[in-house]
Amino acid sequence: MKASGLATHLLAGQRLAHPQTRPDYALTIGPCSWELSPRRTIKTTAYNGQVPGPLLGLREGQPVTIDVTNQTQDHEVVHWHGLFLPSQVDGAMEEGTPPIPPGRTARYTFTPRPAGFRWYHTHVSAGTNFSKGQYTGQHGFLWVEPRENPGRYDQEIFLTLHDWRGQMLASDDGSMNPSYDLSTVNGRVLGFGDPLRVRAGRRVLLHLLNSSATEVHWISLSGHSFYVVALDGNAIPQPASVSMLRLAPAERISAIVVMNNPGVWVLGEVRKHIQAAGMGVVVEYAGQSGKPSWEQPDRLIWDYLRFAAASIEAPASAPESAIDIPLVFESKFAGHGAMDHWTINGRSFPNTETVALKPGNRYRLIFKNRSKEDHPVHLHRHLFELMRSGIRKDTVLVEAGTELPVEFTADNPGATLFHCHQQNHMDAGFMMLFRYA
Ligand SMILES: [Cu+2]
């Protein structure tokens, strides 16, 4: 899939909000029967009847118009994840983006920036309903083409990881966590989707997204390593070769794979039971056939700081001037079988404090995870830098019991949502707003 020629995804004959001008893209949110495997067809909600939704190719700095028609029975909204947008079109009702009522079309017009691998998805709460929100097929790739293309590669492939048919199960300690029947790459279980067809000697740029509502995933490609070049769509200071990738919900990793080991291989979840649930795709070299090979790694390895700038004592910005904002994450244990409540500095949304930012100031968010779970936290409309590493991201996994500082510059006035990207956590209060003074 190349970013060019994407206008073919336009739907003809739709009733649009502003019929006098055609949009660059049209998306329809609607019910969809989707074949995850030959034996498992599910009813979900998706964009344009496909999972993932169409890849939308945009150009940095060039305005785009996207019409979104809601053919579901509920209010919907589309969040353009990782872009610097005004609150009115960012796609979070908490920031003031209007919801799209059932049967109506909304027009999103914005100027995409920054360049890189972004994505779009629903931003409604699901509560305990596994047929709503991010549990559904409502996710798609956004590719914002840079003015210059720094990477050298021959082929570009977009892949998304997702989990399906969830249910809440009580853990030993009584807390409730989702469990899933099926897991997929680009909406198909391992062996059912088309293989990724490659040629020896080629450099393939993989863009991986974790669109799971709640699950962290670990990915390896047997017989190969990943040369990581970008995290969340942003070039990293120190590209490096790694044997596996860890993606928390909403995270993206772009990595070049040099196809130097002809054969038929599995790219898949490292943990056997999740690969057995379907999370994988076959990588097939031209002229090769047979059963796909899988080499089981013996442990899980990932460290963001592997990609940090060589000298972490010389930050790009001046952290001395940053203003500290400590954010403590805790759960209020609701009791056996009941939903937990999540708090930031002791309060659950909508009662969390609203922090006022001053334009131009540098802030240091100090994430203090005092809970027993890892949290992929996401800041809307801005990028933050993992402390003094030069790594810029919009979502970061804060592991249980750890502290992680990130910094950002308040350079995009408007209401700004901060939340855990795990659907069942954000729905249970793990969310707060920043406003500009
Ligand atoms: Cu969380």
Side-chain angles (χ1 to χ4, degrees):
M1 284 191 285
K2 279 299 237 185
S4 52
L6 289 165
T8 50
H9 288 294
L10 275 175
L11 293 186
Q14 268 189 28
R15 198 172 62 83
L16 302 171
H18 305 271
Q20 67 274 21
T21 43
R22 285 181 64 83
D24 298 295
Y25 289 106
L27 295 175
T28 298
I29 309 166
C32 167
S33 281
W34 188 256
E35 224 179 343
L36 297 171
S37 82
R39 292 193 309 277
R40 306 294 281 275
T41 297
I42 53 151
K43 289 194 191 309
T44 187
T45 306
Y47 297 116
N48 295 4
Q50 65 181 81
V51 180
L55 165 64
L56 305 184
L58 314 178
R59 261 175 218 286
E60 186 180 22
Q62 185 177 308
V64 65
T65 298
I66 305 172
D67 284 348
V68 182
T69 301
N70 178 8
Q71 289 181 350
T72 72
Q73 305 300 313
D74 300 307
H75 283 66
E76 269 298 345
V77 70
V78 181
H79 171 47
W80 316 96
H81 187 122
L83 295 179
F84 303 153
L85 298 183
S87 308
Q88 282 295 305
V89 291
D90 185 51
M93 291 180 257
E94 296 83 357
E95 292 175 343
T97 309
I100 314 169
R104 301 287 291 276
T105 297
R107 168 159 286 192
Y108 293 83
T109 298
F110 57 81
T111 302
R113 68 185 182 89
F117 180 21
R118 317 292 166 200
W119 68 298
Y120 62 98
H121 62 86
T122 180
H123 211 286
V124 299
S125 67
T128 53
N129 186 348
F130 279 90
S131 307
K132 278 201 76 178
Q134 294 162 50
Y135 299 113
T136 70
Q138 291 178 80
H139 49 265
F141 309 111
L142 275 182
W143 174 247
V144 184
E145 204 159 316
R147 293 193 185 89
E148 290 168 36
N149 212 332
R152 255 186 59 240
Y153 55 89
D154 306 302
Q155 189 180 352
E156 203 175 7
I157 297 172
F158 290 82
L159 300 173
T160 185
L161 316 172
H162 203 73
D163 300 286
W164 303 89
R165 296 172 60 98
Q167 53 181 313
M168 281 294 171
L169 291 182
S171 307
D172 292 343
D173 65 357
S175 68
M176 300 297 284
N177 280 298
S179 164
Y180 299 87
D181 287 349
L182 288 164
S183 300
T184 58
V185 175
N186 284 0
R188 310 285 192 197
V189 303
L190 176 59
F192 181 53
D194 288 336
L196 306 179
R197 295 192 172 86
V198 301
R199 287 179 174 279
R202 295 277 170 91
R203 294 162 61 87
V204 175
L205 178 57
L206 291 179
H207 294 294
L208 281 109
L209 158 69
N210 183 349
S211 58
S212 177
T214 61
E215 302 303 291
V216 174
H217 287 299
W218 299 80
I219 296 293
S220 78
L221 170 53
S222 290
H224 300 77
S225 56
F226 301 102
Y227 185 69
V228 176
V229 294
L231 295 179
D232 293 354
N234 311 303
I236 47 178
Q238 197 72 50
S241 237
V242 295
S243 62
M244 77 179 63
L245 308 174
R246 185 193 70 184
L247 294 109
E251 284 191 310
R252 289 89 68 208
I253 297 177
S254 302
I256 289 172
V257 178
V258 180
M259 293 299 165
N260 56 5
N261 197 353
V264 182
W265 302 97
V266 172
L267 182 158
E269 237 289 355
V270 176
R271 294 165 299 170
K272 285 177 189 166
H273 66 289
I274 300 176
Q275 192 182 116
M279 189 167 282
V281 62
V282 174
V283 175
E284 189 181 282
Y285 279 71
Q288 301 285 321
S289 60
K291 195 172 176 292
S293 301
W294 173 252
E295 293 163 356
Q296 181 61 45
D298 54 7
R299 58 198 175 109
L300 302 174
I301 309 165
W302 180 257
D303 182 4
Y304 291 122
L305 297 180
R306 181 83 180 74
F307 314 107
S311 167
I312 57 168
E313 295 309 312
S317 50
E320 289 75 22
S321 65
I323 298 159
D324 284 350
I325 304 177
L327 299 175
V328 177
F329 311 147
E330 284 173 299
S331 74
K332 268 188 201 154
F333 190 53
H336 288 263
M339 281 279 278
D340 294 333
H341 284 281
W342 289 95
T343 60
I344 303 173
N345 292 348
R347 291 153 80 177
S348 291
F349 192 82
N351 299 317
T352 37
E353 66 192 301
T354 300
V355 174
L357 305 172
K358 206 168 150 232
N361 276 357
R362 183 90 173 160
Y363 293 92
R364 185 189 292 115
L365 303 177
I366 306 168
F367 303 137
K368 301 181 179 194
N369 184 357
R370 295 201 184 137
S371 77
K372 290 182 179 134
E373 295 184 44
D374 301 346
H375 299 286
V377 295
H378 170 44
L379 181 66
H380 282 232
R381 309 175 59 249
H382 299 76
L383 290 177
F384 50 73
E385 180 185 348
L386 299 194
M387 189 58 162
R388 298 184 175 210
S389 70
I391 298 170
R392 292 170 313 136
K393 291 177 63 54
D394 56 57
T395 305
V396 68
L397 190 67
V398 187
E399 293 178 38
T402 67
E403 223 177 274
L404 177 73
V406 305
E407 290 184 11
F408 74 103
T409 301
D411 55 5
N412 191 14
T416 298
L417 197 62
F418 168 80
H419 63 92
C420 179
H421 218 280
Q422 205 174 311
Q423 180 87 58
N424 61 320
H425 292 176
M426 66 183 281
D427 291 351
F430 200 144
M431 197 146 65
M432 67 180 282
L433 273 171
F434 292 93
R435 289 191 188 280
Y436 277 71

